[in-house]
Amino acid sequence: MSPVLAGVLQLLALVAALGLSYRPLGDHMARVYSSEKHLRFERWVYRAIGADPSVEMRWPAYLRGVLAFSLVSLLFLYALQRVQGALPGSLGFVSIDPDQAFNTAASFVANTNWQSYSGEQAMGHVVQTGGLAVQNFVSAAVGMAVAVALVRGFARSRTGELGNFWADLVRGVVRILLPMAVVGALVLVACGVIQNFSGIHEVGRFTGGTQQWNGGAVASQEVIKELGTNGGGYFNANSSHPFENPDGLSNLFEIYLILVIPFALTRTFGRMVGSVKQGYAILGTMAAIWIGFTALMMWTEFAGRGPAFEIAGGAMEGKETRFGVAGSSLFAVATTLTSTGAVNSFHSSYTGFGGGITMLGMQLGEIAPGGVGSGLYGMLIMAVIAVFLAGLMVGRTPEYLGKKIGTREIKFAACYILVTPALVLCFTAASFVLDTPSHSMTNSGAHGFSEILYAFTSGANNNGSAFAGLNADTQWFNSTIGIAILLGRFLPMVFVLALAGSLAGQQPVPETAGTLRTEKPLFTGLLVGTIAIITGLTYFPALALGPLAEGLAA
């Protein structure tokens, strides 16, 4: 079988699996977030944290809950790393340095999982399982809660109440993420992913010597890193490590885990606003971008010229032979169009255009289908802007789902789309103005520029992947990327929740003959065009200096 045909078959199998999961999972999540009942275990949690899940919150109170919980999580994870040397199961590893502990705590709390360390050489079992894995669950649940709050803003009227953050957080973990993670971990173990608490031991003989490996509860952390679009690897090699991703079957299953909740949330959106067709319109936009990016990635990685490309069947540099070009391309697009950041190949070794595709996927805002929760609310923000632009073209007040998009609403949406590019471009520029950061680059020219642009694109968009040709374990990058991660995560949430509160307080506007039909394919096309134009105007000059220049020179 040719590699190209194998890639097409993998894509079709993935589409089929996602299609089968779409309706039941989306409906289940809609029931979870609409239910007024609380499980016994959930009531225990509420009593333990002193929360009343029946109290409805306006957007400032909801935001305070998000920020307070995230701050406590940040401090806890930072402290856990700083005392690692005194913890049982530390495997002899010392405590993490302050700047790296801050970077890692910020990264995992913000659902980014950027790693400037080698997991198997720095983190013991307690930090990995009690710190990092726990944050993989709760940070994903925070993103889902904010998305649901925005959906309620569209669904409700004449009230500023968006639900209860603590109830949404606990339900997301207990009723959605935990059950799926248990089943997924069992599948990964069956595929060969390890799950143990063994210490460091020597294995085999390599070129006359031995190599030291340590085990760990890898399957349970691997499943939530993908399912929650987190991305942090137990090992430095991430999802290219055979302990995390043994073969082509596990690779395809992990890609499925990355995509299944973000796509299914569009069904949840449709059910909660009372129109599944609206959910299909958002799904169509996400799917069109995802399939288009996947096709472009496979084309650029298979179409390389020269004897080496022809013998290898494509651009195999930096890719695992277990997965090949097709499995690596599928994974790279899925992980950068979502906020996952897990990698099964070396993105820095992709062709110039291939590396640019991974970068552009993040610069779109990771909305196709995006991160767990963040992808949906990011796409809905883009839908608000698309409706506003359509209203300008026809000369009438724009409306979306029966809500007027006025000056207040468009200001919140505009602030949302400006925050991340400002962080990316300003920090990238500062890194080239100063002397010290440039010493971290292992490459010069266009590729060297791409390494730093990719790092801040990944951090500010809460992705976490890297070109990996950059030494980011320095005070400058640990600090600045950590700041970009926190601001890139929580500032947009401020504007999302403010928008949700504004929408929830409105009185519904009746549909008329002049109302833009936002459930039709025409709107899907308008939305795709809006996303492309906004991203292009924002990032094209920077991309022209990096991946585009490198690709055209190849």
Side-chain angles (χ1 to χ4, degrees):
M1 182 185 300
S2 72
V4 176
L5 178 58
V8 172
L9 292 177
Q10 288 183 61
L11 178 60
L12 292 176
L14 189 58
V15 170
L18 292 170
L20 291 172
S21 307
Y22 177 75
R23 184 167 181 170
L25 179 56
D27 289 348
H28 170 66
M29 290 191 290
R31 289 192 296 269
V32 165
Y33 289 115
S34 301
S35 174
E36 297 181 357
K37 296 181 179 180
H38 307 290
L39 302 179
R40 179 178 299 178
F41 176 77
E42 294 172 349
R43 290 196 293 269
W44 292 345
V45 175
Y46 299 139
R47 282 198 291 268
I49 63 177
D52 184 353
S54 62
V55 174
E56 289 278 336
M57 295 178 173
R58 301 177 71 86
W59 80 264
Y62 203 100
L63 176 62
R64 286 195 297 271
V66 170
L67 297 179
F69 176 77
S70 300
L71 177 60
V72 171
S73 299
L74 178 72
L75 295 175
F76 170 78
L77 188 53
Y78 176 84
L80 194 65
Q81 294 175 83
R82 294 291 293 137
V83 301
Q84 175 178 246
L87 295 174
S90 64
L91 303 179
F93 297 137
V94 298
S95 300
I96 308 300
D97 292 335
D99 59 315
Q100 191 172 75
F102 162 72
N103 181 278
T104 304
S107 177
F108 277 78
V109 169
N111 198 237
T112 307
N113 294 28
W114 170 273
Q115 295 173 288
S116 60
Y117 61 90
S118 298
E120 68 269 42
Q121 299 175 9
M123 302 293 185
H125 292 321
V126 173
V127 175
Q128 288 274 23
T129 57
L132 305 185
V134 169
Q135 286 306 312
N136 283 348
F137 280 97
V138 296
S139 65
V142 167
M144 295 167 69
V146 173
V148 169
L150 179 58
V151 173
R152 292 193 185 112
F154 284 109
R156 296 180 176 183
S157 59
R158 293 185 292 273
T159 177
E161 296 173 344
L162 301 175
N164 185 285
F165 167 71
W166 304 107
D168 292 338
L169 173 70
V170 173
R171 288 178 178 182
V173 173
V174 174
R175 303 192 198 183
I176 300 171
L177 295 175
L178 267 175
M180 294 181 70
V182 170
V183 175
L186 293 175
V187 173
L188 288 177
V189 169
C191 290
V193 178
I194 68 169
Q195 179 77 6
N196 57 56
F197 287 101
S198 68
I200 299 175
H201 54 280
E202 294 184 350
V203 293
R205 287 192 170 273
F206 303 90
T207 62
T210 59
Q211 183 173 346
Q212 290 186 332
W213 285 354
N214 57 289
V218 177
S220 57
Q221 187 160 326
E222 186 75 14
V223 67
I224 190 57
K225 106 177 184 186
E226 314 291 17
L227 191 63
T229 59
N230 296 283
Y234 205 100
F235 300 98
N236 187 46
N238 208 277
S239 292
S240 64
H241 198 292
F243 285 179
E244 291 194 28
N245 194 3
D247 54 33
L249 180 60
S250 65
N251 187 66
L252 199 60
F253 181 66
E254 290 184 15
I255 300 172
Y256 165 81
L257 291 174
I258 291 171
L259 299 171
V260 63
I261 292 180
F263 272 128
L265 275 171
T266 61
R267 172 79 180 185
T268 304
F269 162 69
R271 288 291 302 273
M272 292 183 70
V273 299
S275 174
V276 293
K277 290 183 179 180
Q278 296 289 346
Y280 288 144
I282 299 298
L283 172 67
T285 305
M286 292 178 172
I289 296 173
W290 172 59
I291 292 175
F293 268 61
T294 301
L296 284 173
M297 179 65 83
M298 286 194 179
W299 171 77
T300 189
E301 295 303 297
F302 274 121
R305 298 178 180 177
F309 286 89
E310 294 173 3
I311 293 172
M316 278 298 295
E317 180 187 343
K319 299 181 177 68
E320 273 288 332
T321 55
R322 289 175 289 134
F323 313 133
V325 172
S328 300
S329 298
L330 275 171
F331 202 108
V333 171
T335 197
T336 51
L337 276 177
T338 63
S339 63
T340 309
V343 293
N344 74 345
S345 54
F346 198 60
H347 288 186
S348 184
S349 292
Y350 277 52
T351 61
F353 290 133
I357 290 170
T358 62
M359 207 180 303
L360 183 60
M362 294 183 287
Q363 291 167 348
L364 290 180
E366 295 176 321
I367 52 177
V372 169
S374 61
L376 178 61
Y377 65 66
M379 184 61 82
L380 291 178
I381 292 288
M382 287 296 184
V384 167
I385 294 173
V387 167
F388 179 76
L389 293 177
L392 291 179
M393 289 188 286
V394 299
R396 60 173 286 128
T397 302
E399 303 162 9
Y400 186 51
L401 300 177
K403 301 297 178 71
K404 287 187 176 181
I405 308 302
T407 303
R408 179 181 175 86
E409 289 76 23
I410 203 63
K411 283 180 180 178
F412 290 139
C415 289
Y416 176 93
I417 65 172
L418 289 174
V419 167
T420 304
L423 292 170
V424 173
L425 298 176
C426 289
F427 276 122
T428 299
S431 296
F432 282 97
V433 170
L434 301 175
D435 292 332
T436 303
S438 62
H439 297 326
S440 296
M441 296 190 301
T442 57
N443 294 283
S444 59
H447 197 79
F449 176 83
S450 295
E451 288 174 354
I452 292 183
L453 178 62
Y454 191 106
F456 286 108
T457 297
S458 177
N461 285 280
N462 301 136
N463 185 271
S465 63
F467 250 28
L470 180 73
N471 174 26
D473 187 15
T474 65
Q475 284 192 347
W476 168 260
F477 284 113
N478 277 332
S479 302
T480 55
I481 292 177
I483 293 170
I485 286 170
L486 291 176
L487 295 179
R489 173 69 165 179
F490 295 110
L491 273 182
M493 285 184 174
V494 174
F495 302 120
V496 169
L497 292 173
L499 175 62
S502 179
L503 294 170
Q506 289 189 24
Q507 182 173 346
V509 179
E511 187 176 297
T512 66
T515 302
L516 176 65
R517 302 296 296 274
T518 54
E519 79 280 12
K520 297 293 185 180
L522 177 63
F523 179 71
T524 297
L526 174 64
L527 185 50
V528 171
T530 300
I531 294 166
I533 291 171
I534 290 175
T535 306
L537 291 174
T538 304
Y539 286 107
F540 182 80
L543 290 172
L545 294 174
L548 289 177
E550 186 180 357
L552 292 172

